[in-house]
Amino acid sequence: MNRQFLLIFLLLAAASLSLALGQVSVGPAALWNGLTGGDGAGALTVQILRGPRVATALLVGAAFGLSGSIFQSLLRNPLASPDVMGFSAGSGLAILGALTINLAIPMPLIASAGGLLTAILVLALARPARGHNPLEGAPAVTIVLVGIGIGFTAAAISSFLMTRLTGPQAAEAQRWLAGSLAARDWSHVLQLALIGAVLVIVLLPQIRNLRLLELGSELATGLGANVKRARLGLAATAVLLAAAAVAIAGPIAFVALMAPPLGARIARTADVGGRLLAAALTGAIIVMLADLVARASLPGLQLPIGVMTGILGAPYLLWLLSREIERGEL
Amino acid sequence: MKNWIWLFLLLCAALGVSLFTGVRSISLDQALQAFIAPDNTDPVHVALLYVRFPRVIAGLVCGAALGAAGMAMQALTRNPLADPGILGVNAGAAFAVTIGALLAGRADGALLAFLAFPGAAAASVAVFALGGGLRGNASPVRLTLTGAALSALLVSVVTALVLMRGETLEVVRFWVVGSLAEARTRPLLVMSIGAVAGGAVLLAVATKLEALALGETLSRGLGTRPRQVQAAVLVAVTLLTGAAVAIAGPIAFLGLMVPPIARRIAGASLRPGILASAMLGAAVLLLADVAGRLLFAPAEIQAGIMTALIGGPVFVLLARRLSPGAIA
C-alpha cells in the first residue's frame, strides 16, 4: 500500500512545529492567527521571521531529496549522492575562492557554479576507458571513489584558502561552508520555488526513462530508450537540483544521501515516481527538523543546520556501510 | 642497485635544496661553519640552525614516516587506495586540536601538536576497524567510504565547536593545513623518536606481513600469527602517522602516491619496499615544500597543499584503474 499520505502528514506536523517553536515559542492560537494573515507579535514572528525560513527549509530539503533519489536510481547504488561524490566540496571551494579574491558575484551563483563544475569533472574523470561496453557507463563505485578523491583535493585547497582570509572573512566562509538557513526571506523562497518548479517540469517526462534505466541498460535499449541521452539528461537535472539548493542554503551535508532510502521505507513504495515523491517529502522533513533542532536546542546559540545533518548523517553512512559489509554487497 | 643509488642521490639533493633555498642565500662555507662553530650573533648561522635545519629535519622525518606508513597500510589491507589521510587521520587530528584549543586557548602550540597525535591515531584505528579491517576484508571502497564518513562526522563536530567559540577558528584553520614552516615550534625530537620506533617495528614484522598476504590459512601454516602481526603493523602505522601529524599537521596523499613508485624501485619484497618508500616520501615532501616556497615567493604554499595537488589526480588515476570486480 502506498503511504505517501503519512509523509505528507509528517511534513505538515514538522512545518507547524518549526513555525511554532524557537527562542520564542508561539501558541497554537497565535500560529493559526499568523497563518491566516492576522496581527500581533506571535503572528508577526510566524509571518516574517519563521515563515520564510521554514519555506526555504522545505524547498531546499525537497530539492536535495529529489537529487539524491535520482542519483541513487540512476547509479543503482545507495551510496550515490551529491555530497558523497564531492560536489559539495566543489561548491565550498568556489565560495572560498570568491571570498579570497573578493569577487563581486552573489554567493548563490558561485556556490552552484562550483558544484556544477565539480560534477562535470567527476563524471568525466570516472568515464570508463575505451573497450568497455559503452552502454554501461561508469560503474557507480568508480564514480563515488573518483568523487571522494576530487572532494579531498578540493577540501585541501579550501583549507589553504582559509588561511589566506582575515578573521571575519574566515568566520563568514565557515558559516557558508556548513550550510545555514539563517536570515532567509521571501525572495529566497521565491527564487528557489521558481527554479525548482522548472526543474520538476523538466524531470517529469524523464521519469519514464529512469524507470527503464533501472531495468539495466540493455533491457532499456531494447525497450526503446536512448540510454546515453537519458542518463545525461537525468544526471544534469539531479546536479542542477542540488546546485539550486546549495545556492540558497549552502552545502547541507547528507540530506540527499539519507532522504531517498528513508522515504521509500516510510512510504513503502517501489515505483520510481513514488520514490521520487517520497524522497522529496522526506528531504523537506529532515531539513525542517534539523534546522529546528539547530536553532532551538542550545539557548543563545544558532548552530548552522549543516552541523546537525552532519552529526546525524555520518553515523547513518557508517551504518549503511557496515550493513553492506555484513551482507557482502560491497 | 642502480635504482637505489639514484634514490639516495635524489634524497640528498632534496635535503640540500631544502637547506639552501630561502630568502637569504647561504654559501656552503657559511653552512659548514654554522654546524662546526655556531655563532649565535651571526644572523646567517641563526637562520640556518634554528629555522632551516629544523624544517629540513621535519620534512625528512615526516615524509619518511608517511611513506613507510602508506606502504605498510597498503600491504596490510591489500589495497592500493589506502593512505593515512584517507583513513581519517586529518580529521582526527583537527578534532583533537580543536578540543585542545577550546580547553587550553590558542597559546600553547606544543600542547596542540601533542594532542594531534592521539587524535590522528584514534581516527585511523577507528576507520580501519569500522571498514572491516579487523576481519581481514577491508576493500578499497569500504575503507575509503568509511574514512570519508568519519571525516564528515568529525568535521561537523569541529565546525560546531569552532562556531561556538570564534577564537578557536583562528587556531584550527591554520592547523588543518599541513606545513613544515612551524617545525621549530613542534615537538620535533620526541616525535622523531616515535617515528623511528614505528619504523623499526614495521621493518621487524615486514616479512610476516608478507606471509599474511598469502591468505590467513597459508600464513598460519608458515608459522605466523595473523592477529599479532596485524596489531603490530597497526601500532607501527599509528606511531608513524601520529608523529608526522604532530610535526607537520595533516599532509594529504603522500602515503598514497609514494608506495607505487617505491615498489618499482625496490621490487615486490616488502622490507626494501618500506625503505624505498620512506626515502622517496622524504624526498617528495622536501621538494614539495621547496616548490611551495618558490612558486609564489614571498608568499608560501604549504607543503600539505602541494602534496594534495599532486596526490589528488594520482588517487583518481588509481581509482579508475581498479576493475569493478576488484573494488566490489
Side-chain angles (χ1 to χ4, degrees), chain A residues 125 127 160 162 165 330, chain B residues 142 173 300 302 305 320:
Chain A
L125 283 175
R127 228 174 32 182
F160 165 66
M162 275 296 259
L165 300 174
L330 196 71
Chain B
R142 258 175 240 157
R173 70 184 172 124
E300 199 174 282
Q302 292 90 338
I305 304 299
R320 273 177 59 93

Side-chain angles (χ1 to χ4, degrees), chain A residues 110-225:
Chain A
I110 290 165
S112 40
L116 274 176
L117 285 179
T118 316
I120 294 169
L121 185 68
V122 169
L123 294 176
L125 283 175
R127 228 174 32 182
R130 263 178 301 178
H132 191 267
N133 178 5
L135 272 185
E136 279 300 327
V141 265
T142 309
I143 298 182
V144 171
L145 280 181
V146 168
I148 289 177
I150 300 283
F152 266 110
T153 314
I157 303 173
S158 298
S159 29
F160 165 66
L161 291 178
M162 275 296 259
T163 64
R164 286 300 160 103
L165 300 174
T166 62
Q169 275 180 322
E172 192 197 337
Q174 186 73 46
R175 266 194 300 278
W176 250 102
L177 291 181
S180 167
L181 291 170
R184 297 297 183 269
D185 57 37
W186 287 111
S187 72
H188 292 111
V189 178
L190 198 65
Q191 283 170 24
L192 188 56
L194 278 176
I195 301 171
V198 171
L199 287 171
V200 168
I201 291 169
V202 172
L203 175 64
L204 285 177
Q206 297 190 72
I207 291 179
R208 182 177 163 275
N209 284 340
L210 193 54
R211 196 172 289 139
L212 290 178
L213 284 176
E214 281 204 325
L215 300 171
S217 31
E218 281 176 10
L219 212 48
T221 315
L223 290 167

Side-chain angles (χ1 to χ4, degrees), chain B residues 12 17 25 30 56 67 161 165 179 189 201 207 312:
Chain B
C12 290
V17 169
S25 62
Q30 287 171 308
V56 171
L161 295 173
R165 289 273 295 273
S179 163
L189 184 65
V201 172
T207 41

Side-chain angles (χ1 to χ4, degrees), chain B residues 17-316:
Chain B
V17 169
S18 180
L19 195 61
F20 286 102
T21 306
V23 186
R24 193 190 295 276
S25 62
I26 298 173
S27 70
L28 195 60
D29 238 27
Q30 287 171 308
L32 282 176
Q33 217 153 43
F35 286 109
I36 298 164
D39 174 8
N40 277 345
T41 54
D42 185 343
V44 174
H45 288 197
V46 172
L48 203 63
L49 286 180
Y50 297 101
V51 181
R52 287 203 205 158
F53 189 61
R55 189 167 185 156
V56 171
I57 296 298
L60 182 70
V61 172
C62 185
L66 287 174
M71 191 68 156
M73 209 89 194
Q74 291 180 12
L76 182 65
T77 59
R78 277 171 268 162
N79 169 355
L81 295 183
D83 165 72
I86 290 159
L87 297 184
V89 167
N90 299 0
F95 180 69
V97 167
T98 311
I99 301 285
L102 264 182
L103 296 178
R106 59 189 298 184
D108 203 342
L111 174 75
L112 295 185
F114 269 111
L115 280 174
F117 190 106
S124 67
V125 172
V127 169
F128 188 74
L130 286 169
L134 294 181
R135 275 169 288 174
N137 55 357
S139 87
V141 185
R142 258 175 240 157
L143 277 180
T144 312
L145 282 168
T146 311
L150 195 74
S151 295
L153 178 63
L154 292 176
V155 167
S156 298
V157 178
V158 166
T159 309
L161 295 173
V162 159
L163 288 169
M164 276 188 225
R165 289 273 295 273
E167 68 270 25
T168 322
L169 179 61
E170 292 304 304
V171 179
V172 174
R173 70 184 172 124
F174 290 100
W175 233 98
V176 296
V177 182
S179 163
L180 299 178
E182 302 296 318
R184 64 180 179 281
T185 65
R186 303 274 164 84
L188 202 52
L189 184 65
V190 184
M191 289 303 160
S192 302
I193 294 171
V196 169
V201 172
L202 211 51
L203 288 175
V205 298
T207 41
K208 289 184 176 163
L209 182 56
E210 270 180 313
L212 221 57
L214 299 172
E216 233 167 77
T217 339
L218 200 54
S219 66
R220 263 183 226 280
L222 291 170
T224 339
R225 295 189 191 139
R227 290 285 165 274
Q228 289 182 3
V229 175
Q230 278 182 347
V233 173
L234 216 53
V235 168
V237 166
T238 307
L239 276 171
L240 288 166
T241 52
V245 172
I247 292 173
I251 302 279
F253 289 124
L254 191 66
L256 176 89
M257 58 183 167
V258 167
I261 310 169
R263 271 191 286 272
R264 292 209 169 170
I265 295 171
S269 185
L270 190 58
R271 196 175 286 170
I274 290 172
L275 272 178
S277 194
M279 287 165 75
L280 195 60
V284 170
L285 184 58
L286 285 169
L287 290 178
D289 182 50
V290 170
R293 274 188 272 169
L294 292 181
L295 219 50
F296 291 104
E300 199 174 282
I301 300 182
Q302 292 90 338
I305 304 299
M306 296 300 293
T307 59
L309 287 177
I310 312 167
V314 174
F315 179 91
V316 170

